[in-house]
Amino acid sequence: MTTGTDAPGTTRRVRPPADNNVQDVLSAIDNYTCGPIRALAQDPPQNSADAARDGLPVHVLYEVHERIARDGTAIKLLTITDSGTTGLDGPMLSGEDLEERRKQQGELIIQPGENWAAWEAMRYTKSNEDKLGSRGQGKYAYLWHSAHPAPGSPPNLPPHAWRMIIIYDSLLPDGEYRLGVRFHNPATLLVDPPFVGEAAFEILEDGYHEDVWDVPLGLEPLTKPGTRVIIPFLREDAQAAISSGELLYWLTAEWWRKIQKEELTITVVRADGGSDQVGVPEYWNVSEWGRGDPRYLSKENLRLTSDRPSQRRLVKRVVLFQDDDLQNGDVDGPAQLNGVQLLRGGQWIATLEMSEFADWIPQIHRAGFRGFVELDRQLEREFREIENPAHDGFSKRYGIYRELEKLVKDVVREYASARGWVEETEKTPDAGYEDLVRELTDLFVSPASGGGAAGNVEWTCVVEPNFSTDRAHVGWGDSMQVYAHCKRVPPGERDDIAFSAMIIRPDGTRTEVLPERHQRLRTDPNGESATAVANFGELIVEYPRGIDAAFPEPGRYSIEVSCRLHDETVARGRCSFYVASAPPPPPPRALTIQLQAFNTRDSGRSINYGEELGVLVQLRNYTPQIVAGQLAVTIEGTPHVLARQDVSVDGTLPGASPQPFAVRPTTVSITEGTATKDDEIQLPPGQHTVIAAVEHEGYVLASATVEINVGPPEDEGADAPFEVKEIYDKPAAARWSLEDPGVQHRNYILWLSHEDPVYRAVRSIARPAGAERVPQVEFVSGVVAEGLVEWAVRECRQRGDEGKLRLVGGNLAALDQQLADRFEDRIERLMASVDDASAYGEYQREIAAIMLEASRKAR
Amino acid sequence: MPAKVWSRTAAGDIVSTVETRGRSSARAEDFALAEDLDAAIDRAFDDAESLRSQVARDEVPTKFTINWAVGRAIAQSDLLKHAALHSEPPALLFKAMAAKFRTLARADGSEASNWVHLRPELSEEPTNREGSSKGRHDHWSMCVWLAEQDYDDAVLTFGGSTRNVWQMLERKALNPLVMRQALRSWLAGLPPDIAADITSAKKFPELMKVLRDRWPARGRRPALQPVHYAEGELRAEIARVAESIGLVEATLT
């Protein structure tokens, strides 16, 4: 062994490293979620594994020694020695060297191979490596365990005024021997320059007795390349953890997989001289992961949902095991072995707790449940990026984490099903958020096939009440005239139309007050349509004098008129007015657009080549003034213009529902090849966006978009309007919030607070007997329904696209007319109260409740 | 289908590989097509040199003229329709061209030193604008786009500034040829000193920004994009927008 020696005339001093003191160390280790003993089990082998040399197996030895200090005090040392590693090699950069480098580079960058400098420095970046956390934190795991009050300190000295010390020596593969000292008293200081060769051996033999320190060592120099860290004044809790076997437990939990793969061995020598080798839990000591044994389930090469050929995201292995004879041996704190361990590079990082699987694993089987997950190398790199600096958890706000969590849950559910703990007929208890959004979207937002937009004959009904004031408002005893117009395009025969009218009360109940009328269609002067006009006469709003009163209470009423031809309803129209109560002010947005684009054959949104695309645009003007502009309809990304015309939309009385101004552009046929006719357009297969907008002098008054699919239908449902993501670690976050699309993400995101107390509570509640869904799903459904309302209103407010709100209302009417009436009323009130947060929130919750009730009825 | 991608080894030797669909190929038919394409690129570059000398004007920056000539030569040569590029994105052609300009390698392996002044200044490592990817424009696609206008029109539209070309090209809504023609037409109607001011390095980006805001890509946006307008309508719209931010006085337009 080449020992080397100090240069002649070497003078040592102590220098402060970049920062940190006792308090930093205490705070950092206190932030380890499982406490300082896990830190002691985790960081030393991790440092050693990172320094593995040429694929050699790494051995780590924890050994407790008893020594007597010069003042006669008995102290315990813990040495942690590795072999099979490179040792702390590289140049021994002085404080000046490091400072000069920091100045030149703007930050301190440590190059690969500069391991001594990396060990002694703090807060630096490693060149060519990921920036994982705050570099240097690993040293704290050693220092923490030597914290003690200096001799002669007053009693009750707070820990931040204590002192700490570690001594480290390293034998390099080329024979060079180094020894360094780092202490915190309470500020941090390093001995500079380090001791080399014979000077290091003297310290090891005699101890370190400089300045205020009296540290007996009496250790032999290392004989194999590697590093030893000496922790003098070993704290009592660490001594207890070593003698009781707790350290052994943490080392097993942390490193069993790496040990199993023979990449690492760990030995613990206790103060009494007894030693233990860290091993592998018995249940994982099986061949082929227990294939054929019903207690085991292993699945390999599973793909995360975001896995793509260009971005592989593969889970190498998920293995589960359960045995009722196995006890839950976890110590207090976050789960360790009881649950599904997430491993990275053979190291345990975090555990998915049993509460995550409460829907499938019955209480009586949970204690004996074990599992682990290993990732493909590429996915491991991504997970390393989201690992916290303490290496004891992943940031849960990233999509890949949630994807992994869902994948593991799916495997656990499969396991539970195989063990007979979950009934096969049961619906998925924990439907993914995407499924919940999809369910409500399909119910309320997908265009209903076979609706009135398609077809060659267009019927419309407009109800026109005449009020005596300039508002849609009547007082008790007042009257109003009610007319209804039924129009057919093209004109056709002079058919007889039957008009019947219903009054819809504020509570959604209906009554027939106005007598039925019959009128013949007459061709309009333009020759393009035919109209029948019914005069229902005078409607008197009588003060309520009995339980059968038509107008039992103040509030918003509607008149719905149905037009029937040969006993078949061809059109419906409605108007609203307020009885003895003030109508809400008009919503802030003057003009809105409702856009429908559909296959004329079936009203669906998929169009095959040779079929026709139909478009219906309905404009609504919420203000009393006329609004004029130019309407255009195009297909985005193409030169096709489906409509371009000047429009003028009449105003609406306050309190009345605006009557839609309809524009139906000429239908066009979709071709795959070059278009040869004026009414043909060529579109490639796939999704396309139809956009309609009204502009006035370069200002967009309102715009709306609808997706169509050209070619074979892949999915007739609407695209989910938003993605649901959970927001973690923000206890003060709102229960949910909707984030607008932006540059980073093109869709809305509904953020659901993971820490919300109600959500936390429902997550732990199992499905009540007879309930169709677990409480967690019901909770998220409610949030998604409120989010859908918010999304539809926001589309209307920000862009003037009323189509989303109308779709929700229209689809609701198909499910339950009475609920739809209430919905319509609440929507109008919601639209009118967008600047009144209190009223807006109330209506939004009420609308969501209506949707959920309709959803339950639909199921 | 394939293209030949040239490179220089550490020893300075010029070597090539045939690439198709993002992978190298060793199939004989791929080699034949790739070599044909490679020779066609040579001819286009040689044509570019000839075009440049035909159109060059002293008052127009040489770089702008070269870019236009290269773009027009590529368009005239029908390289983009070459059989080798069937089912391949145009990016492959631009990647192959970038590699040829970097190595100055002709199809026969000789060095085309006369191409040196046709290429942009080279950085040590290829930049994002040297060979397009992920649908983004690179130097060569910019040249092709620039040359969609005739030379004099392009000079007027951009004031002879390649920087202005990028300003407009990188705003997708403003890419259609009709927009450039409308801009040219509007600028032609302005007094020359005003037109020169608008195409200056300071004003031109302002105009592009406000035109992009007129036709935003997200949120509440118009259905009609520039591609849907006639040139005269767009010219009037450009004038209105330019007036609205005080770029020109109303009386001038």
Side-chain angles (χ1 to χ4, degrees), chain A residues 634 636 638 644 695 700 798, chain B residues 214 220-223 228 233:
Chain A
T634 63
E636 281 195 324
T638 77
R644 187 177 181 184
E695 285 186 61
V700 181
Q798 294 179 351
Chain B
R214 169 65 181 84
R220 180 151 47 102
R221 56 193 189 272
H228 299 120
E233 290 178 305

Side-chain angles (χ1 to χ4, degrees), chain A residues 258-276:
Chain A
K258 220 169 175 59
I259 290 167
Q260 188 176 46
K261 289 195 286 184
E262 298 181 349
E263 295 169 359
L264 177 68
T265 53
I266 304 175
T267 307
V268 178
V269 179
R270 298 187 298 272
D272 63 8
S275 70
D276 295 292

Side-chain angles (χ1 to χ4, degrees), chain A residues 16-17 80 87 106 138 140 224 298 370 398 680 767 805 819:
Chain A
I80 305 172
Y140 291 177
K224 293 178 185 172
S298 70
R370 305 286 186 271
Y398 286 91
E680 279 183 350
R767 183 199 317 277
L805 274 173
L819 283 176

